[in-house]
Amino acid sequence: MKLVVQVKLLPTSGQASALEATLRACNTAASDVAAVARETGVYRNYDLRKQVYAGIKADYALGAQAAQHVIKKVSDAYATLKANLRAGTYGKPGSKRRRKVETNPIGFRWNAAQPYDARMLSWQADARTVSIWTTHGRLKGVAYTGSADQLKAIATSKTGESDLIFRDGMWFLYATVEVCEPELIEPFGFLGVDMGIANIAYDSDGTRYAGDQLNGYRRRQLRLRKRLQKKGTKSARRLLARRNKKEGRHAGNVNHCIAKTIVTEAVRTGRGIAVEELTGIRERVRLCKPQRVTLHSWSFHQLGSFLDYKARRAGVPLVQVDPRYTSQTCNGCGHRDKRNRPDQETFHCRSCGVVAHADHNAALNIAQRGVEGWGAVNRPHAASPCIQ
């Protein structure tokens, strides 16, 4: 299992200057390679290397590995651009934005991430230093720090490719590490998790991860973005970029905390985790206009991915189930009727009369489908409790 570990570099002023010069050289070279690729129509890594490898290696004092990573970075960027064009991210064919993207070469900021492999970067975990290639020669003894878990992962796991990043005046390495996955436990039932807007998550035990405070935070950020976009000055655009990064970090932190709590509870009770399939959630959900902004501004896929990798690290089975009609079906008697849900919070079964929180009822149905999906016939697990 691969994980990405972030560690903070603590370079001296001289080391920082060398790292900055390296990033500038690599990304300037990448912009030149992108221009050549657009001009010639050659985007494949191997074919592009034939045209530009010798030139950028000599012009920008790049090593052999650095030059190859620059070319691959450009090739991957165009592959991503092509996928986004196919998906309609830049508008319909013929639109002004799409024509601009299709005709102009990709540009790279001076501080865009630069990949490093094992030939360009080595770790000295005991001393907490790295030896890293730069355009000014090999820097040895560059100190780094991080959390206890991050340092342990670097020291005990096999490290792969890393990215050198300069952000907010600080230097970071994002390292890919290989960690061993424990064997999955044989679950005693499943903990169902329903994701939504009013409540970010609601599990089948009745634990509510409320979205009131978070939704208020997002509404404030939306109002601020509108004011900054309307102002349109250079300083407003800089502030807008900083606020967007801050909001993204806040959302990631909230999703991490929720996922960690859910996985910890599943480990404590010996259960697996059942979640609804998140693919296509924006296409199949029908919401009123104010709720659409909330739906599109929160990364449900990120929360699902956090649950996935945290569950795998803990040896907890995680299954995705069909979410259709989970909010309309009574977990007690199985009766399905759209009138069972008179409003967002309330579930009132028209058949047996049970009254419950709508998200709790949906989470219980998801837990039951998790048992069935895991294989209830061959693996007789205990089913989730019904609403009393």
Side-chain angles (χ1 to χ4, degrees):
M1 176 182 178
K2 291 184 178 180
L3 293 177
V4 177
V5 176
Q6 172 190 287
V7 296
K8 181 181 178 181
L9 294 180
L10 304 172
T12 64
S13 58
Q15 292 171 339
S17 298
L19 293 175
E20 180 178 339
T22 301
L23 272 191
R24 288 187 182 277
C26 290
N27 286 302
T28 303
S31 295
D32 289 348
V33 172
V36 172
R38 178 66 82 191
E39 183 181 349
T40 60
V42 175
Y43 304 109
R44 190 166 167 261
N45 181 22
Y46 180 75
D47 297 331
L48 192 57
R49 191 184 306 168
K50 291 181 180 179
Q51 298 193 25
V52 300
Y53 172 76
I56 64 171
K57 185 179 176 184
D59 294 344
Y60 297 100
L62 301 183
Q65 292 300 111
Q68 292 189 38
H69 280 298
V70 164
I71 298 169
K72 186 177 185 300
K73 181 166 70 171
V74 173
S75 179
D76 291 344
Y78 275 113
T80 302
L81 176 62
K82 184 178 179 181
N84 285 330
L85 289 171
R86 241 187 346 256
T89 306
Y90 298 104
K92 297 179 180 178
S95 65
K96 182 177 179 181
R97 185 186 180 197
R98 186 178 179 116
R99 287 200 309 271
K100 182 180 179 181
V101 169
E102 288 176 331
T103 56
N104 293 334
I106 292 177
F108 293 84
R109 303 183 313 275
W110 78 265
N111 58 345
Q114 175 63 22
Y116 276 74
D117 58 23
R119 296 184 182 183
M120 304 166 65
L121 175 72
S122 60
W123 299 82
Q124 294 79 46
D126 294 338
R128 290 188 188 176
T129 60
V130 294
S131 172
I132 185 169
W133 172 88
T134 70
T135 52
H136 292 147
R138 190 95 176 184
L139 295 183
K140 297 183 179 180
V142 181
Y144 68 86
T145 187
S147 68
D149 290 341
Q150 293 166 341
L151 296 176
K152 181 180 178 181
I154 292 294
T156 60
S157 305
K158 181 181 178 181
T159 56
E161 188 174 285
S162 304
D163 283 350
L164 176 65
I165 294 176
F166 181 75
R167 187 184 69 233
D168 299 329
M170 297 175 287
W171 292 95
F172 297 93
L173 279 173
Y174 282 53
T176 305
V177 298
E178 289 274 359
V179 297
C180 296
E181 289 186 45
E183 291 187 8
L184 296 180
I185 64 171
E186 190 67 20
F188 186 74
F190 276 79
L191 179 67
V193 180
D194 178 62
M195 300 181 193
I197 295 175
N199 299 306
I200 301 173
Y202 208 120
D203 67 31
S204 54
D205 287 348
T207 304
R208 174 173 174 258
Y209 303 91
D212 300 341
Q213 183 178 359
L214 182 61
N215 288 333
Y217 171 82
R218 285 185 291 184
R219 285 192 292 269
R220 290 194 299 274
Q221 296 299 314
L222 177 62
R223 290 195 296 269
L224 177 60
R225 284 200 300 271
K226 286 182 177 179
R227 290 201 299 269
L228 292 172
Q229 288 167 351
K230 186 176 181 180
K231 197 171 183 69
T233 62
K234 188 174 181 180
S235 60
R237 288 194 293 270
R238 284 199 302 266
L239 180 57
L240 184 62
R242 288 199 298 269
R243 298 299 300 184
N244 287 341
K245 291 179 182 178
K246 182 177 180 181
E247 188 176 358
R249 291 193 298 270
H250 179 76
N253 180 65
V254 171
N255 280 336
H256 267 299
C257 292
I258 293 174
K260 183 177 181 180
T261 303
I262 292 172
V263 172
T264 301
E265 179 62 18
V267 172
R268 187 185 69 83
T269 56
R271 288 177 290 178
I273 299 174
V275 298
E276 55 189 320
E277 293 175 354
L278 298 178
T279 304
I281 185 172
R282 289 178 171 84
E283 288 75 20
R284 67 172 180 265
V285 174
R286 298 291 179 264
L287 299 170
C288 58
K289 190 171 182 180
Q291 289 180 311
R292 293 173 195 165
V293 175
T294 307
L295 174 68
H296 287 271
S297 64
W298 191 254
S299 179
F300 295 99
H301 183 271
Q302 184 189 64
L303 177 56
S305 65
F306 287 171
L307 278 171
D308 180 36
Y309 91 80
K310 290 179 188 294
R312 288 167 59 192
R313 288 193 70 182
V316 174
L318 184 141
V319 296
Q320 294 189 12
V321 302
D322 187 350
R324 289 178 294 181
Y325 309 116
T326 53
S327 61
Q328 299 178 12
T329 304
C330 178
N331 182 256
C333 66
H335 175 69
R336 191 186 86 195
D337 191 331
K338 64 180 180 181
R339 295 176 300 172
N340 284 349
R341 190 169 181 177
D343 55 52
Q344 193 278 326
E345 290 190 356
T346 308
F347 181 88
H348 185 188
C349 182
R350 297 276 175 165
S351 177
C352 65
V354 69
V355 178
H357 193 288
D359 292 341
H360 187 203
N361 176 76
L364 287 168
N365 286 327
I366 291 172
Q368 182 61 41
R369 292 185 183 185
V371 173
E372 296 167 357
W374 183 252
V377 175
N378 297 323
R379 300 170 182 154
H381 311 309
S384 301
C386 296
I387 300 174
Q388 301 298 324

